[in-house]
Amino acid sequence: MPPFHSTLPSPGHTLGNVALMPLRQTTKGSARGPAPPTSEEDIIDQTINLFKANILFKNFEMETDVDRVLVYVTLYIIECLKRLQKIPNAERAMQDMYSAALEAFAIPGEAGFPLNAFYTKPKGGEVEEMKKYFVQLRHETGARLAEKVFDPSLSPDGGPAKWWTCWAKRKFLNVALDSRR
């Protein structure tokens, strides 16, 4: 059985070969970025919904520029879950996810980026736009994931839900975004 790919259409505008997808902007920090707003299901919703199925795969054939966004967000979800499993409550989780989105990270073309073979380096003026876009993706992903991980129906004691944190030890495509861990 092959992994699940994004069903969202490519918006046409790209940074490098990464689609600039519209985002449902639910956090304060995510409004500052190049991604246009939308009120419909976005790439982050789709990635979170497909996460538990896709995490089991060691191979993923990137068919479109939208799949590159899906792969990046999937890798970032793993990094978020590693942090969220150690946090005692939802309020602290939201704060930590906000600060995690702002931490230094590598973009395609830089030495620390784990999937440089599949992503093209952004051209001159696109570098800053890509950084802003990835920060925007990270803000939204962290906030929405924290809501899911600390959902009271999954974890009545207020801690992180084991149904989510159990996936923190898995690797997707045998790589990790943060090489320090």
Side-chain angles (χ1 to χ4, degrees), residues 2-181:
F4 295 94
H5 294 274
S6 177
T7 58
L8 298 172
S10 178
H13 186 67
T14 61
L15 298 169
N17 63 349
V18 176
L20 184 61
M21 300 297 293
L23 297 177
R24 211 169 33 86
Q25 298 172 355
T26 61
T27 64
K28 286 186 265 180
S30 70
R32 288 179 253 131
T38 185
S39 58
E40 300 169 7
E41 179 187 49
D42 64 2
I43 189 68
I44 294 169
D45 292 328
Q46 199 168 76
T47 305
I48 290 173
N49 291 336
L50 296 174
F51 175 77
K52 290 180 183 179
N54 279 346
I55 192 72
L56 300 171
F57 291 99
K58 300 288 182 207
N59 299 316
F60 189 94
E61 186 178 330
M62 294 186 211
E63 297 172 350
T64 66
D65 51 357
V66 178
D67 283 339
R68 287 179 181 82
V69 180
L70 182 115
V71 167
Y72 181 81
V73 174
T74 300
L75 291 171
Y76 185 65
I77 287 172
I78 296 167
E79 296 306 315
C80 290
L81 289 173
K82 288 177 186 175
R83 290 173 157 233
L84 290 172
Q85 70 183 355
K86 300 172 187 167
I87 297 175
N89 59 44
E91 186 178 323
R92 277 279 317 279
M94 291 301 267
Q95 292 170 350
D96 195 59
M97 290 297 96
Y98 184 84
S99 62
L102 297 174
E103 288 177 357
F105 60 91
I107 63 169
E110 293 179 354
F113 192 75
L115 295 170
N116 274 329
F118 303 103
Y119 291 74
T120 59
K121 184 177 181 176
K123 296 174 182 75
E126 290 181 341
V127 171
E128 202 56 41
E129 284 294 299
M130 183 174 277
K131 283 187 180 185
K132 287 179 187 175
Y133 179 52
F134 279 9
V135 167
Q136 200 174 10
L137 285 171
R138 292 162 69 102
H139 271 298
E140 281 297 325
T141 303
R144 294 187 209 171
L145 189 63
E147 289 174 9
K148 293 229 183 239
V149 171
F150 287 89
D151 183 358
S153 66
L154 293 176
S155 180
D157 65 347
K162 301 290 185 226
W163 294 104
W164 278 98
T165 58
C166 68
W167 300 101
K169 292 183 175 102
R170 301 235 14 150
K171 281 191 173 183
F172 180 59
L173 305 179
N174 284 329
V175 296
L177 278 184
D178 190 1
S179 57
R180 293 174 288 151
R181 293 184 187 184

